[in-house]
Amino acid sequence: METKLEMTGHQIIPLFPLGVVLLPQMELPLHIFEERYKVMINECLKQNRVFGVVYYDGTNIRSIGCTAKILGVVKQYEDGRMDIVTRGKTRFSIKDMDQSRIYLQAKVLFFEDERETLFDNDTTLAREVIHLLKDLDQVSETPRDYNSLIGMDLKRLSFLIASTEGFTLEERQRFLEIISPRRRLTKCKEVLKTVIQRMKINLKITKIIGGNGDVKAFLSK
């Protein structure tokens, strides 16, 4: 992880290790079914608290995560299960784990991006990234209001880009850890080109499945 973080203080928060990477302002629907997480989410709802989402790859829990604010309960089941919608808020670094409750907690240190002066080149960078996003959306047939992206600050734009379909979990985790908005957006530009090509290949393979199955011939076109 990068250094020289702008830290904002320690706090103990509930922790939810998941096989996803949550980014600031990214919406994340969740189905809560384990007993410990039913307890955790109900407490967060009653106390209007956030909880921390950290990427768990099946072996390790990453030390950098993002808090999730519960936007609402979509459905409540008779057995206590629930469908909720959350949104990413603030990034944090785990300092200590706390297993004193039925669910995992952690002592975390919140952090923000470095403060950067906006230059003319940054506006050009943002326009280039938005243009690549349009290309990606065209491939995936995703509608979007691009006018709302014009003039958006680099931090918000970079996280919005990284939240789009096509980025791998490892790529999103790297974006989560970058603390320079300019560097993150520059990285978005680089990765977007790869994501577009990756998505085009996936679409080709999907067409092959419904065609003659000649993968090698199709990809050589």
Side-chain angles (χ1 to χ4, degrees):
M1 183 184 170
E2 299 184 11
T3 57
K4 297 182 181 178
L5 303 180
E6 184 178 339
M7 300 296 187
T8 58
H10 285 94
Q11 188 174 329
I12 294 178
I13 62 173
L15 210 60
F16 202 163
L18 287 169
V20 300
V21 177
L22 180 64
L23 300 170
Q25 299 305 312
M26 173 182 169
E27 287 197 5
L28 177 66
L30 292 172
H31 176 64
I32 308 302
F33 60 93
E34 287 189 53
E35 193 60 37
R36 54 182 168 170
Y37 294 122
K38 292 179 191 176
V39 173
M40 185 188 82
I41 295 302
N42 276 311
E43 289 183 1
C44 287
L45 285 168
K46 290 177 182 178
Q47 301 169 17
N48 193 27
R49 294 184 66 193
V50 298
F51 61 92
V53 173
V54 283
Y55 176 38
Y56 175 59
D57 62 9
T59 304
N60 300 307
I61 294 177
R62 302 301 172 89
S63 61
I64 304 297
C66 182
T67 58
K69 178 179 176 59
I70 303 173
L71 299 181
V73 178
V74 178
K75 185 174 182 179
Q76 184 86 45
Y77 300 84
E78 292 183 0
D79 60 3
R81 291 178 298 125
M82 66 185 86
D83 297 326
I84 64 174
V85 177
T86 70
R87 176 177 291 147
K89 298 294 289 183
T90 308
R91 290 171 291 167
F92 60 83
S93 173
I94 296 175
K95 298 306 174 185
D96 291 297
M97 293 290 195
D98 180 350
Q99 302 186 52
S100 61
R101 301 293 306 279
I102 187 175
Y103 53 80
L104 190 62
Q105 297 185 109
K107 183 178 182 181
V108 303
L109 191 60
F110 297 112
F111 65 89
E112 298 291 347
D113 279 337
E114 296 174 333
R115 297 181 182 182
E116 295 179 332
T117 302
L118 187 65
F119 297 109
D120 291 340
N121 289 344
D122 294 324
T123 302
T124 301
L125 172 62
R127 287 174 180 168
E128 292 172 345
V129 170
I130 293 172
H131 180 74
L132 285 169
L133 180 62
K134 288 181 180 179
D135 291 342
L136 177 63
D137 289 344
Q138 185 175 10
V139 175
S140 62
E141 299 182 345
T142 301
R144 194 185 305 273
D145 178 14
Y146 300 102
N147 289 329
S148 65
L149 305 183
I150 299 173
M152 184 178 290
D153 64 84
L154 301 190
K155 175 182 178 180
R156 188 178 175 189
L157 180 61
S158 62
F159 281 131
L160 183 149
I161 297 295
S163 298
T164 57
E165 182 183 356
F167 286 85
T168 68
L169 295 174
E170 292 295 336
E171 286 166 346
R172 283 183 176 170
Q173 183 66 30
R174 287 197 292 272
F175 286 128
L176 187 68
E177 298 178 6
I178 294 174
I179 59 171
S180 161
R182 182 179 298 112
R183 190 154 53 247
R184 190 168 51 244
L185 195 60
T186 300
K187 190 66 177 177
C188 278
K189 178 183 173 181
E190 297 173 7
V191 179
L192 263 174
K193 296 175 183 178
T194 301
V195 171
I196 291 169
Q197 291 304 312
R198 197 156 58 206
M199 191 167 289
K200 286 180 178 179
I201 292 173
N202 288 339
L203 286 174
K204 283 186 176 183
I205 292 174
T206 300
K207 290 180 180 179
I208 292 169
I209 294 174
N212 59 18
D214 191 349
V215 177
K216 186 174 181 180
F218 201 99
L219 293 180
S220 64
K221 293 179 180 180

